[in-house]
Every structure is written in C-alpha cells, then in structure tokens.
Amino acid sequence: MLGLFRRKDPLDPAVQLKKLALLGLRPRPEVGERELVKFRKEAYMEKPYLLLLIALGGIAADGKPVSERIWHVHRDSIRYEADYVRAAIRMAGVAAAAGAELPIGDAEASLLPDEEKVLLRFSLAGRRHQWELTQSGTALDPELLLGLAGLLREQGGPRQYGYAALGGPDALIVCLTAEELESLNRLTGLGFTWLAGSGFRF
C-alpha cells in the first residue's frame, strides 16, 4: 500500500537520460547534463524524450557532436558543397559509434558548373562512389541520407539506420538493431522507422 503513495516522476529529465542511455543514446563524457537540459524542467515532461533526443543529436560547446549515436539533422544545413562531405562523415560516425561498418574515406564534393548539382565522391570498401546531389538553396538533398542507408543495408549487419520525422524540416537519425529500434519506440513513442527504402523527405 505504501507504494501507492510514493511519489514517482518517471518523466524527470534525469530519469529520461538514464533510460535513453540504456539504449546507448548518451552524451560524450565531456558533455554534462547542464548542457543537455537547457529549458525549464516542465518542458521535458511535456515532451518526454523528444527534447533530450534533439539535444543529444546536436553539437556541443566544443564543436563536436553531443552524442555520436544520434544526429538531429536539419534540412537547411547546406551553405557550401563541403557541407555534403561533413553530412556524409556525420552519418558514417553514427554507424561507427553503433558498431556498424560504413568506413567512408577520401570524401570530396564539388559544385557542378551551371547546374544546381553537387558531385560527391567517396570510397567505401575498395569502391569509389560518385553521386550527383541536388543543390537547392540551403536544403540538404535527402538522397544523401537514403543512399548511405542503402549502402549500410548492403553490408548486411544487424544495425541499420533508422529515423524519426519531427513534423518539420528536421529528423532524428540513429543506427540500431531491430530490437533496439522497437525498444526506442516503446520508450519514446516517436515512431522511428528504417531509413533505407523509405522514400524519406523533409
């Protein structure tokens, strides 16, 4: 009976962080909780897990990812063609941090003359890839994310890219097993699904 009257607050941000950490979604050791929890406590209770996942997928004060395991990707993130290289490397980092294999190397990008296209070249498993991606203002071409998810699927490992669309020009990218993805959805209710073959658009 005493348990009925014991105050429990499972949506406290500190508790949320501990539950996310059980799925491997934790900040780097250099990043403290104060850097993650920037709003009033009630905001994290109103939108449990969402605000913390966005924070985990962001960039820390030292200019490095808060967590290597998740990326909060925004559509309007392209200023220069080199941003496509950074996006590809960030995706590869998410996979590597999860124990998956997508060792992208020798990545470079160049703007095609007189076209709204960027040519991205990179090496993977001894093969040289060359992709034409759309350069439209500051918008990231989602074909980059879909293409890399397809390459990871070809590797055949248990961990694949998943994503959750946030109802706007951004999404959360993770790399998980099917069991981990299911557990993340049970915990957060955010509807993560597989990225490869999804037809994802911002």
Side-chain angles (χ1 to χ4, degrees):
M1 285 295 292
L2 289 176
L4 295 175
F5 300 98
R6 188 181 298 125
R7 185 178 182 275
K8 291 184 178 181
D9 193 4
L11 301 184
D12 182 275
V15 175
Q16 293 178 42
L17 282 170
K18 288 179 182 178
K19 289 181 179 291
L20 290 171
L22 293 175
L23 295 173
L25 301 175
R26 59 174 63 86
R28 290 181 293 114
E30 300 85 353
V31 180
E33 185 177 319
R34 216 175 261 186
E35 196 168 341
L36 291 169
V37 182
K38 297 180 179 180
F39 308 114
R40 58 188 177 85
K41 186 177 178 181
E42 290 76 14
Y44 297 89
M45 297 178 177
E46 292 165 4
K47 297 181 179 180
Y49 301 104
L50 175 60
L51 294 179
L52 289 174
L53 285 171
I54 288 173
L56 285 168
I59 300 297
D62 61 7
K64 299 177 182 179
V66 172
S67 171
E68 298 284 357
R69 290 289 305 272
I70 183 169
W71 181 25
H72 177 219
V73 57
H74 198 282
R75 179 190 62 201
D76 298 312
S77 58
I78 302 297
R79 299 293 184 274
Y80 309 98
E81 55 267 28
D83 290 333
Y84 273 108
V85 173
R86 284 186 277 273
I89 291 172
R90 183 75 173 93
M91 284 285 283
V94 170
E101 291 292 328
L102 197 70
I104 289 174
D106 303 319
E108 57 183 4
S110 58
L111 191 63
L112 293 176
D114 303 321
E115 293 185 48
E116 292 185 341
K117 296 283 185 180
V118 167
L119 190 64
L120 177 68
R121 306 180 190 89
F122 61 92
S123 299
L124 178 65
R127 288 176 55 201
R128 191 69 177 162
H129 295 266
Q130 182 170 292
W131 293 352
E132 284 190 13
L133 300 166
T134 299
Q135 177 67 47
S136 178
T138 60
L140 171 68
D141 188 345
E143 290 301 325
L144 172 69
L145 310 181
L146 291 166
L148 293 174
L151 289 178
L152 185 59
R153 177 179 280 181
E154 288 176 12
Q155 308 300 315
R159 287 183 169 84
Q160 300 295 320
Y161 287 116
Y163 79 98
L166 301 184
D170 56 341
L172 294 167
I173 304 288
V174 293
C175 187
L176 301 171
T177 65
E179 183 180 355
E180 289 168 341
L181 190 79
E182 184 180 346
S183 296
L184 183 59
N185 280 330
R186 280 200 306 267
L187 181 65
T188 67
L190 290 176
F192 281 87
T193 189
W194 300 121
L195 181 57
S198 67
F200 165 74
R201 291 291 183 271
F202 288 105

